[in-house]
Each structure stands twice: as structure tokens, then as C-alpha cells.
């Protein structure tokens, strides 16, 4: 059971602010988002994507992959937090609290 500990399971957050002034910038922005989605990331907010990982080793693989397709311009931040920390996020829509909408559980096949 230690394998599924809320302190071992990780979430990767990719936060970005990319330019969209020229056609080339817009294409780079779209390509970056598509690559995130192909790698299993889900949009959390407009410029924040999240991905669930079973371990810190698995998270390191996906972080390396994100680094491989970083755009030439703009700012990108990558943050890794535990499942316990992610579960403590408080979200609001105006003054109304909202539940955290997490992607479905990723199953592992052996």
C-alpha cells in the first residue's frame, strides 16, 4: 500500500506565459500546448497544465520531456507537488468555492 501513498504520488504543474503577437508565436504556443496534451497533461487554467504521476521518478521523466519541447520565447515554470499538497488546493469562482476537477485515475498495467 505504500506505493499509493499521497506523499509518493506526484502532480506536475506547468505554468507558462508565451507571446502570441506574430503567426510564428501563435504556432509555437499551439505546438507547446499540443505537446503537453500528447504527454498526458490536462488544462487546469488557461496557462496552467497538470499531470498526475505515480512517483517522483515518473514525474522526472515527464519533466524532462516538457523541457525537450520548450518554446524559443516566453516564460515556462515547472513545479512538482505531492498528491497531498494538490488535494489542499482551494479554488474559487468569484466568492463561491469550487471543487478541484482532477483528471481520472491513471491505471498501471503489468
Amino acid at each position: 500500500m505504500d506505493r499509493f501513498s499521497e506523499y509518493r504520488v506526484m502532480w506536475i504543474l506547468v505554468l507558462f506565459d508565451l507571446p502570441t503577437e506574430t503567426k510564428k508565436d501563435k504556432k509555437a504556443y499551439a505546438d507547446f500546448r499540443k505537446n503537453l496534451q500528447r504527454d498526458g497533461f490536462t488544462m487546469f487554467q488557461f496557462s496552467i497544465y497538470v499531470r498526475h504521476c505515480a512517483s517522483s521518478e515518473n514525474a522526472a521523466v515527464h519533466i524532462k520531456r516538457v523541457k525537450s519541447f520548450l518554446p524559443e520565447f516566453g516564460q515556462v515554470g515547472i513545479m512538482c507537488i505531492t498528491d497531498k499538497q494538490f488535494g489542499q488546493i482551494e479554488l474559487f469562482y468569484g466568492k463561491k468555492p469550487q471543487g478541484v476537477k482532477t483528471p481520472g485515475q491513471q491505471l498501471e498495467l503489468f
Side-chain angles (χ1 to χ4, degrees):
M1 272 300 155
D2 187 40
R3 182 176 177 168
F4 297 109
S5 165
E6 58 192 3
Y7 296 101
R8 181 165 162 68
V9 174
M10 304 299 290
W11 285 88
I12 302 171
L13 286 81
V14 177
L15 310 96
F16 56 93
D17 186 14
L18 303 178
T20 56
E21 292 146 12
T22 66
K23 265 190 166 182
K24 184 178 176 182
D25 289 343
K26 289 177 185 175
K27 179 167 178 16
Y29 174 85
D31 289 345
F32 184 69
R33 286 184 61 244
K34 286 177 189 174
N35 283 326
L36 286 173
Q37 291 169 339
R38 279 190 207 112
D39 195 35
F41 284 83
T42 305
M43 186 169 59
F44 189 71
Q45 289 184 351
F46 287 122
S47 293
I48 302 174
Y49 278 68
V50 297
R51 187 185 199 291
H52 178 265
C53 295
S55 66
S56 58
E57 295 83 9
N58 182 247
V61 169
H62 292 285
I63 290 170
K64 184 177 179 182
R65 196 169 294 152
V66 171
K67 289 178 180 179
S68 75
F69 57 74
L70 288 172
E72 187 177 359
F73 301 105
Q75 295 177 331
V76 177
I78 302 171
M79 181 174 22
C80 210
I81 61 173
T82 66
D83 192 46
K84 178 78 172 171
Q85 292 168 322
F86 189 81
Q88 293 175 343
I89 292 174
E90 292 186 59
L91 295 175
F92 298 88
Y93 183 77
K95 291 187 179 187
K96 287 185 168 185
Q98 295 289 310
V100 177
K101 295 178 185 176
T102 59
Q105 182 73 14
Q106 183 174 347
L107 300 175
E108 292 184 33
L109 300 176
F110 299 95

